[in-house]
Every structure is written in structure tokens, then in C-alpha cells.
Amino acid sequence: TAGITQAPTSQILAAGRSMTLRCTQDMRHNAMYWYRQDLGLGLRLIHYSNTAGTTGKGEVPDGYSVSRANTDDFPLTLASAVPSQTSVYFCASSDSEGGVQFFGPGTRLTVL
Amino acid sequence: LAKTTQPISMDSYEGQEVNITCSHNNIATNDYITWYQQFPSQGPRFIIQGYKTKVTNEVASLFIPADRKSSTLSLPRVSLSDTAVYYCLVGDIGGSSASKIIFGSGTRLSIRP
């Protein structure tokens, strides 16, 4: 079982460009999450989805958007990247909202 | 979601038992306590979860006193590979609003030979 996959592994992006980070899970979990982790710090929740078709804002949602068209996929889009969005992005899923989370390997994004 | 407080860092030696305590004074009746481990360049990984008294699995034990205002993650006979950041989270696993999930900065555990 793959669990959660994220793509790309890493990316260098010019400021002002848009980008979509992909996340796919094969555990049929209802809830999915996107976090960012800046160097040396903890994880901060960006957006989440309790079930397919619904999304919600986390602690730091500005500059990001998400969609949840189906159970397995939860893409994160940066419409116009800024250098402060340089971070490692982790996708996670859980069987239920607030349940034990399983994390993907992360995407390292650098915005120049 | 209850706010948690844990030490920023801890050091220990191989073969020792390590105890990391997390304070959660405002824990609610339905809240569970969950610990995650994160290695560099990886996503966090679930370690253990409990509600009260003691829970033990193949990697750790979790001690929760009767008032549940704190919890202690115990790692028996640590090795160098236990060097990681450990996060304590408190919430209702069946109903916590995901928007309130807070990982915090965790405890950076360093194990020396």
C-alpha cells in the first residue's frame, strides 16, 4: 500500500508564478490536510477537507487554495507564489476529522 | 483544541529511558492525547495515543495521570535512531475541528552514543 504520495518532491518556482502541489491517498480516508513547515519550526495547517466536496481553512490559508473533487486527491494551489511561501509542504490524511494522521513525504518548495 | 506545552529540547544517551512530558491544562472530557515523531526531511509519524492511565505499544509507553492535565511519553532504551522531534497533540479524535489542529514546535530529542 502506497499510503500518501506527493508530487513533486521538490520545486524551484519564480515569484508570481502559479503551481499546484499534488497529493493522493489510497487509504480511503475521509479527511485530508495540508501543512507547511518552515525551517526549524513546527507544522502549520493551511487547509483541510473533512470529506470529498468540502474544504476548510486552517491557521495559514492566505495565498493558497484547495479542492476535493474525490476521496483520493487533495491538490494545493498557489495562484501567485511569493518568497514567503518557501517551505516544505506536507499532505496528510485521517480516517475521521481529528483522527490519527498519516503523512506524505513532503514537497520542498523554493520561491525566488 | 487544548493548548499543549512541551520542552523545546532534550538530550540523552543510548540505552537510557527518555521521558518527555506534555502539559495540557485545558484538556476536555472527550479529548485524546496523541504523540507523533518526525525525522529530518520526513513527515510526522504516529507513535501512540491514549485517553487515561497507561498505554503501551511496541515503541513507547504513554502515562496519563488521573487529572489528565499532563502526559508523559516514555521511550525505553533509546538508540541513535530515536533522535527526532516529538509532538504532543490533544483533541477529540472523533470530532475535533480540523481547523484547530496545532502541532506546535515539539520537543527536539538528541541521543548521543
Side-chain angles (χ1 to χ4, degrees):
Chain A
T1 300
I4 295 186
T5 58
Q6 293 185 236
T9 303
S10 65
Q11 181 74 43
I12 298 174
L13 187 67
R17 300 296 295 271
S18 66
M19 179 171 183
T20 295
L21 280 61
R22 300 185 297 279
C23 174
T24 300
Q25 54 107 355
D26 64 1
M27 297 175 281
R28 307 302 295 173
H29 282 170
N30 289 313
M32 296 187 75
Y33 316 82
W34 272 106
Y35 294 89
R36 61 175 289 174
Q37 185 173 36
D38 299 333
L39 188 64
L41 301 179
L43 288 83
R44 291 185 293 171
L45 183 66
I46 304 172
H47 284 287
Y48 65 95
S49 169
N50 297 331
T51 188
T54 68
T55 63
K57 295 181 179 180
E59 181 185 0
V60 288
D62 295 343
Y64 306 94
S65 63
V66 292
S67 61
R68 186 90 184 275
N70 57 60
T71 297
D72 299 343
D73 301 300
F74 191 42
L76 176 73
T77 297
L78 288 68
S80 179
V82 295
S84 62
Q85 291 178 309
T86 293
S87 190
V88 179
Y89 291 84
F90 290 103
C91 180
S93 72
S94 65
D95 184 44
S96 61
E97 181 184 11
V100 172
Q101 296 184 40
F102 296 83
F103 284 79
T107 293
R108 184 175 299 274
L109 178 66
T110 302
V111 182
L112 302 176
Chain B
L1 207 70
K3 177 179 168 58
T4 62
T5 302
Q6 46 184 131
I8 294 174
S9 65
M10 295 180 65
D11 296 323
S12 189
Y13 293 90
E14 283 191 293
Q16 299 295 306
E17 178 184 82
V18 171
N19 296 311
I20 305 175
T21 297
C22 178
S23 298
H24 28 80
N25 292 318
N26 296 324
I27 190 169
T29 302
N30 293 332
D31 285 347
Y32 281 70
I33 300 153
T34 308
W35 285 81
Y36 290 85
Q37 174 192 56
Q38 186 180 25
F39 297 116
S41 301
Q42 295 185 25
R45 182 181 69 167
F46 168 79
I47 301 176
I48 197 167
Q49 184 179 72
Y51 182 80
K52 63 180 180 180
T53 62
K54 177 184 175 182
V55 179
T56 297
N57 62 23
E58 62 276 8
V59 298
S61 295
L62 179 60
F63 297 93
I64 305 167
D67 66 6
R68 305 202 323 123
K69 293 184 181 300
S70 67
S71 59
T72 299
L73 174 72
S74 181
L75 304 173
R77 297 180 298 281
V78 293
S79 64
L80 296 176
S81 63
D82 291 315
T83 294
V85 178
Y86 293 82
Y87 297 95
C88 165
L89 275 73
V90 173
D92 180 352
I93 62 173
S96 280
S97 171
S99 65
K100 297 183 175 64
I101 293 175
I102 299 175
F103 267 79
S105 298
T107 296
R108 189 172 299 275
L109 176 64
S110 298
I111 305 301
R112 303 176 181 179

